[in-house]
Amino acid sequence: MRDTPLPQPSVAGSIAPSDLVVRLPRHEASYWGDAVRRLRRNKVAVIMLLAVGADILTPYPYAKASFSHAYESPNPRYPLGTDPLGRDLLSRMIYGARISMIVGVGSQVLVVLIGVPIGALAGYHGGKLDLYLMRAVDVMYAFPTLLFVILIMSALGAGLLNIFIAIGVTGWVTLCRLTRGQILALREQEFVIGARAAGATSWQVILRHLLPNALAPIIVAVTFGVPRAIFTEAALSFIGVGINPPLPSWGGMVGEYQTYLRSYWYMATFPAVAIGLTMLSFSFLGDGLRDALDPTQKR
């Protein structure tokens, strides 16, 4: 058997640098850095996030009427056709997308501001406070959500701000229950007991120790709440109590153009398809976030 030749020493009697293999310590990725890396694998979710800024592609003002081009079918000049006033449907669709994103994201901010603090207080303190708060949540669950939203909009009137209020007031109960369950599961952990023993106040324990560890399922729940808010806004605009015209909304466009469905199918079909695709895309985004924020999904 031939012996493997040993590295030849240099003139000075030391081993040549080329014979040395230097292994540097590998830095472990942080939890959130690893979550972002795995979320990027969900291409549909990333594309949906980029679509938020698509209003820069608007070819015409959304309210610009051109009666000489009314009722035009899709063509090179108007890719999605025009409406009875000659307005470009593509431009109105793009502005409608912006409205849907604002409603979806903005309403969920209000949902978080209401639902998370109430759920955290109920889960951390328990006792009578938890009992009273959860009974209030049960009362809210007893009302049909969409009917309650329509009732609030009828009282407040149509408008973007009122849609935020209506969806936020009715949509916080699910997130409240989720937050309460997460806090209940974490409040007896050793790090929480240690924080209380060190003299931390209730809000310090909740904000610094409990909520950061319960953040992943809350983020996923908020993401799934965005398409529900978009659908609610579309339903409100469809029946005429949502976005005020002439500001375009996908639901309002479907309601406005439904009478032309037999003759000019594209007017109501394209906004309806956009609503469905947006809800599907946010479902993919929620799945991507759930996988990205779940440490067991590492590959």
Side-chain angles (χ1 to χ4, degrees), residues 16 27 39-40 69 83 101 124 139 148 151 166 176 180 229 247:
H27 296 284
L39 175 60
R40 290 171 57 187
H69 296 284
D83 68 358
M101 297 303 163
Y124 181 76
V139 171
F148 199 7
L151 180 63
C176 176
R180 172 182 176 270
L247 194 63

Side-chain angles (χ1 to χ4, degrees), residues 96-217:
R98 186 178 68 176
I99 294 298
S100 295
M101 297 303 163
I102 292 175
V103 169
V105 176
S107 62
Q108 291 307 299
V109 172
L110 187 58
V111 166
V112 169
L113 293 178
I114 298 176
V116 171
I118 294 177
L121 287 174
Y124 181 76
H125 290 286
K128 290 185 177 180
L129 179 63
D130 181 29
L131 177 65
Y132 295 147
L133 290 177
M134 287 302 101
R135 296 297 76 77
V137 170
D138 292 339
V139 171
M140 291 292 297
Y141 264 116
F143 290 94
T145 303
L146 185 57
L147 185 61
F148 199 7
V149 171
I150 294 174
L151 180 63
I152 294 175
M153 291 299 298
S154 299
L156 299 179
L160 189 59
L161 179 60
N162 293 339
I163 290 178
F164 288 161
I165 296 174
I167 297 178
V169 168
T170 59
W172 60 271
V173 289
T174 300
L175 191 62
C176 176
R177 277 191 168 181
L178 174 65
T179 304
R180 172 182 176 270
Q182 293 295 316
I183 299 301
L184 283 174
L186 293 171
R187 69 177 184 178
E188 300 301 330
Q189 297 291 328
E190 289 81 0
F191 66 91
V192 178
I193 298 175
R196 286 200 296 260
T201 64
S202 299
W203 279 111
Q204 288 176 334
V205 173
I206 292 173
L207 295 177
R208 295 182 181 180
H209 302 282
L210 291 176
L211 283 182
N213 288 279
L215 198 58

Side-chain angles (χ1 to χ4, degrees), residues 54-96:
D55 59 324
I56 61 175
L57 302 176
T58 304
Y60 303 99
Y62 67 85
K64 181 181 179 181
S66 178
F67 295 101
S68 60
H69 296 284
Y71 298 104
E72 286 196 13
S73 300
N75 57 70
R77 182 174 182 178
Y78 301 105
L80 300 184
T82 60
D83 68 358
L85 299 179
R87 296 175 296 188
D88 179 40
L89 286 179
L90 177 60
S91 301
R92 294 180 63 78
M93 288 279 295
I94 294 175
Y95 275 97

Side-chain angles (χ1 to χ4, degrees), residues 37-58:
R37 176 181 60 81
R38 282 180 276 130
L39 175 60
R40 290 171 57 187
R41 296 176 182 174
N42 192 309
K43 305 301 182 184
V44 178
V46 176
I47 292 173
M48 194 60 225
L49 290 177
L50 296 178
V52 176
D55 59 324
I56 61 175
L57 302 176
T58 304

